[in-house]
Amino acid sequence: MSPPEKQHRIDRFFAAHRESGLPVTTQRRAVFEAILDRGDHPTAEQVYRAVRGELPQISRMTVHRILGTFVSLRLVAKTCHPGSSARFDPKIHQHHHLVCLDCGGIIDVEDPRLNQIPWPDVRSHGFQIEDYLVHFRGRCARCRQKLHPLGAGRKAAARLRASQNKTKPKSKGRR
């Protein structure tokens, strides 16, 4: 996050507290800044560990309550995917995610085409869609590297070249 963008978000933090009548506390400010400083969609536990260094007296429950407040104030977004803890995202505009099936990492995807997906007609279910988020599930580069250690791709390419060379007719050299 660029410094001007971070300053804008901090200004929004103060404005949201003023508008809601909530006091700006040291704990709330520390939790908010901890989230803004991360790009990895941290869990509440990760935020707690980051803030605890600065505020050793803060409790996990306090961090959970603060994160819930931030979600209700729309200062952060809460994102979930099956089999994982809730994660908190400082980006509150519409964007989408790549979710690693192995490590649970989340990577932002900014593609305007995904924001144009037509919503299905769900009236027969009595449901009202208010927003959507696309999660693409797969494996991140680091986890793919663990599955196929260094050189696995090069070995496969070498095997392919070797098999192609066997099928090529031998060219006759000059005499």
Side-chain angles (χ1 to χ4, degrees):
M1 185 173 295
S2 70
E5 186 180 355
K6 185 174 180 179
Q7 186 58 52
H8 173 73
R9 294 299 306 281
I10 289 172
D11 293 344
R12 179 69 196 115
F13 166 84
F14 284 112
H17 280 76
R18 268 192 316 275
E19 292 163 10
S20 66
L22 290 171
V24 173
T25 63
T26 303
Q27 292 89 348
R28 286 187 183 140
R29 174 113 189 215
V31 168
F32 191 67
E33 288 181 355
I35 291 174
L36 290 184
D37 289 341
R38 297 181 69 124
D40 63 348
H41 306 77
T43 64
E45 179 65 23
Q46 289 171 319
V47 173
Y48 165 71
R49 284 190 303 233
V51 173
R52 196 178 67 194
E54 183 182 332
L55 302 171
Q57 75 283 6
I58 198 165
S59 70
R60 281 183 176 85
M61 186 54 69
T62 299
V63 170
H64 279 271
R65 278 196 308 269
I66 290 171
L67 290 169
T69 300
F70 289 170
V71 170
S72 68
L73 293 175
R74 298 180 188 245
L75 292 171
V76 299
K78 183 177 181 179
T79 186
C80 305
H81 59 278
S84 178
S85 300
R87 308 290 280 274
F88 297 90
D89 191 346
K91 289 185 177 179
I92 52 176
H93 65 275
Q94 186 169 26
H95 66 284
H96 309 282
H97 295 133
L98 305 174
V99 179
C100 182
L101 294 167
D102 291 339
C103 70
I106 301 175
I107 301 167
D108 290 330
V109 174
E110 305 274 352
D111 187 332
R113 295 173 300 170
L114 295 173
N115 300 340
Q116 304 303 318
I117 295 174
W119 293 6
D121 183 357
V122 293
R123 289 177 290 195
S124 65
H125 299 286
F127 194 84
Q128 180 180 340
I129 298 173
E130 295 179 7
D131 194 12
Y132 71 96
L133 171 67
V134 176
H135 281 165
F136 293 99
R137 299 178 337 144
R139 288 186 174 72
C140 67
R142 196 175 76 208
C143 290
R144 280 193 352 270
Q145 183 67 29
K146 288 178 189 174
L147 287 174
H148 304 288
L150 233 133
R154 283 186 243 139
K155 289 177 188 173
R159 281 194 303 271
L160 178 62
R161 279 193 304 274
S163 68
Q164 289 173 341
N165 287 338
K166 288 180 186 175
T167 60
K168 286 183 184 176
K170 301 251 184 208
S171 63
K172 295 181 181 177
R174 286 188 183 166
R175 292 184 194 207

